[in-house]
């Protein structure tokens, strides 16, 4: 059992594709960290907006009350999420459950209903993006969104792309940045858990890790879309780091015995194997130790 790695940072992204929040601790839930990707923006047809098609979302800052990341905290009538963007007034969204429901919301392969945050939020985002938009919240009381059962049967997410958690190591980022003319910050990759104190790309090999007292399964390598090429301070896309990643992190390089799909991989998707509905103390903290319980011998064996 290797140990010396630890949790360096924890990131929560309350609104899918908007800016993340760096927190010192976060409660675990069966769908990921609490508040993570609980909201999305949708267009007039109910399809999700992401930075892939609306890079201005990179500039939308989201704040939650500090106590929202404490164990057992529940919102009061005066608990808000504050949303800011260039040229816009602050938008405040109550954290208590919205009254209205919108049907026909879709994210990738999933469609269902969601809770609608109302006209003020819709107008704010419509003005900011320049296209008809609505802010909706996942309705955990009536909806479930299962992950791909071929990789992790029985697990579910809210509006995350694929899996409840995405882990990256600082050492992998450092190794990539040594190859880039202009280093990129971690926010290009939107991990939930940034680990430090391991070898670069060692997370590729982790099939089971313990973080604090919780056991996580490494489900599959995280394939990357164009979002890492979008500068999160300006919303402007370039060609890096994906161009460099393609040279040494493509399926052709990492998975030579499999069909080429032109994908690049950076990070590992995780699910938590513990039953998180019971008991107290379901909190991960920055500084928690990370123990590798099981691993494969090379990335070529990894699920992807």
């Amino acid at each position: 059992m290797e140990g010396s790695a630890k949790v360096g940072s924890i990131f929560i992204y309350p609104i899918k594709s908007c800016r993340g929040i760096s927190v010192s601790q976060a409660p675990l839930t069966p769908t990921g960290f609490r508040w993570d990707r609980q909201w999305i923006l949708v267009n007039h047809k109910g399809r999700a907006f992401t930075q892939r098609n609306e890079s201005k979302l990179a500039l939308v800052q989201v704040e939650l009350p500090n106590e929202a990341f404490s164990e057992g905290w529940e919102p009061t009538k005066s608990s808000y999420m504050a949303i800011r963007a260039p040229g816009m007034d602050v938008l405040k969204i109550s954290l208590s459950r919205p009254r209205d429901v919108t049907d026909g919301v879709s994210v990738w392969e999933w469609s269902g209903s969601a809770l609608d945050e109302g006209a003020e939020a819709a107008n704010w985002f419509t003005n900011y993006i320049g296209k008809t938009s609505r802010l909706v919240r996942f309705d955990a009381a009536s909806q479930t969104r299962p992950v791909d059962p071929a990789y992790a049967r029985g697990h579910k997410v809210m509006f995350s792309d694929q899996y409840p958690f995405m882990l990256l190591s600082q050492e992998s980022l450092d190794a990539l940045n040594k190859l880039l003319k202009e280093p990129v910050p971690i926010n290009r990759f939107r991990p939930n858990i940034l680990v430090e104190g391991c070898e670069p790309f060692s997370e590729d090999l982790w099939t089971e890790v313990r973080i604090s007292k919780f056991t996580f399964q490494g489900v599959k390598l995280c394939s990357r879309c164009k979002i890492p090429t979008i500068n999160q301070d300006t919303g402007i896309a370039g060609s890096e780091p994906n161009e460099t990643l393609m040279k040494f992190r493509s399926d052709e390089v990492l998975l030579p015995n499999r069909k080429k799909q032109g994908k690049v991989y950076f990070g590992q998707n995780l699910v938590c194997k513990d039953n998180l509905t019971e008991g107290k103390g379901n909190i991960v903290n920055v500084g928690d130790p990370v123990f590798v319980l099981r691993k494969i011998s090379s990335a070529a064996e990894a699920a992807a």
Side-chain angles (χ1 to χ4, degrees):
M1 189 164 75
E2 298 173 21
S4 67
K6 62 176 187 180
V7 176
S9 303
I10 297 169
F11 301 101
I12 312 282
Y13 308 88
I15 304 175
K16 185 181 182 68
S17 260
C18 295
R19 285 193 180 168
I21 304 173
S22 178
V23 296
S24 59
Q25 62 172 47
L28 291 169
T29 80
T31 56
F33 286 127
R34 188 176 187 190
W35 309 111
D36 193 51
R37 276 90 168 193
Q38 209 171 108
W39 288 265
I40 51 166
L41 288 156
V42 295
N43 68 12
H44 65 290
K45 293 181 175 171
R47 296 281 313 161
F49 281 122
T50 75
Q51 284 186 38
R52 295 168 183 81
N53 49 22
E54 292 301 333
S55 61
K56 285 176 79 172
L57 293 179
L59 309 183
V60 177
Q61 277 180 294
V62 183
E63 279 171 39
L64 290 174
N66 287 337
E67 58 273 22
F69 302 100
S70 311
E71 184 177 27
W73 181 80
E74 288 305 325
T76 64
K77 284 198 169 60
S78 58
S79 306
Y80 290 93
M81 172 167 65
I83 304 171
R84 294 178 170 82
M88 303 292 293
D89 292 335
V90 179
L91 172 66
K92 288 189 167 178
I93 299 292
S94 170
L95 290 180
S96 34
R97 184 188 158 102
R99 291 184 300 278
D100 297 331
V101 172
T102 294
D103 292 320
V105 167
S106 57
V107 181
W108 308 123
E109 71 313 319
W110 179 88
S111 62
S113 63
L115 302 168
D116 194 302
E117 293 291 3
E120 187 190 356
N123 292 338
W124 193 95
F125 278 104
T126 297
N127 289 337
Y128 177 66
I129 295 174
K131 295 177 185 170
T132 301
S133 312
R134 295 198 81 78
L135 181 66
V136 299
R137 184 174 183 177
F138 195 84
D139 186 3
S142 74
Q143 306 290 306
T144 54
R145 188 166 163 243
V147 307
D148 184 339
Y151 289 96
R153 184 175 294 281
H155 290 273
K156 55 191 197 234
V157 287
M158 287 190 177
F159 291 131
S160 301
D161 263 5
Q162 290 185 308
Y163 298 95
F165 304 94
M166 206 277 282
L167 176 146
L168 249 179
S169 73
Q170 180 66 46
E171 287 73 15
S172 299
L173 180 65
D174 294 345
L176 169 62
N177 278 334
K178 285 195 180 105
L179 303 174
L180 294 174
K181 285 194 187 73
E182 291 181 28
V184 294
I186 192 61
N187 65 12
R188 295 284 190 104
F189 298 102
R190 305 176 72 79
N192 298 112
I193 301 168
L194 184 69
V195 169
E196 51 190 46
C198 60
E199 292 297 312
F201 308 109
S202 56
E203 65 268 30
D204 293 351
L205 311 179
W206 298 348
T207 53
E208 193 169 282
V209 293
R210 195 169 77 226
I211 301 175
S212 178
K213 62 183 184 183
F214 306 101
T215 306
F216 293 84
Q217 178 187 340
V219 175
K220 72 190 288 264
L221 300 180
C222 184
S223 63
R224 310 310 308 217
C225 61
K226 72 174 262 191
I227 290 180
T229 68
I230 299 169
N231 182 320
Q232 299 294 298
D233 294 327
T234 64
I236 296 167
S239 60
E240 292 290 12
N242 290 19
E243 205 170 274
T244 296
L245 284 171
M246 195 50 104
K247 292 172 187 162
F248 77 115
R249 298 290 302 170
S250 68
D251 51 10
E252 194 168 347
V253 174
L254 293 180
L255 311 166
N257 305 325
R258 293 185 225 173
K259 189 177 158 199
K260 310 291 172 282
Q261 297 178 32
K263 291 184 174 178
V264 296
Y265 299 99
F266 198 62
Q268 174 81 265
N269 291 301
L270 304 178
V271 295
C272 185
K273 295 176 72 173
D274 300 305
N275 182 354
L276 296 169
T277 50
E278 294 169 15
K280 290 201 161 186
N282 292 339
I283 295 257
V284 171
N285 294 276
V286 167
D288 279 347
V290 177
F291 296 101
V292 180
L293 305 181
R294 295 208 329 249
K295 62 179 188 173
I296 51 180
S297 55
S298 80
E301 298 169 39

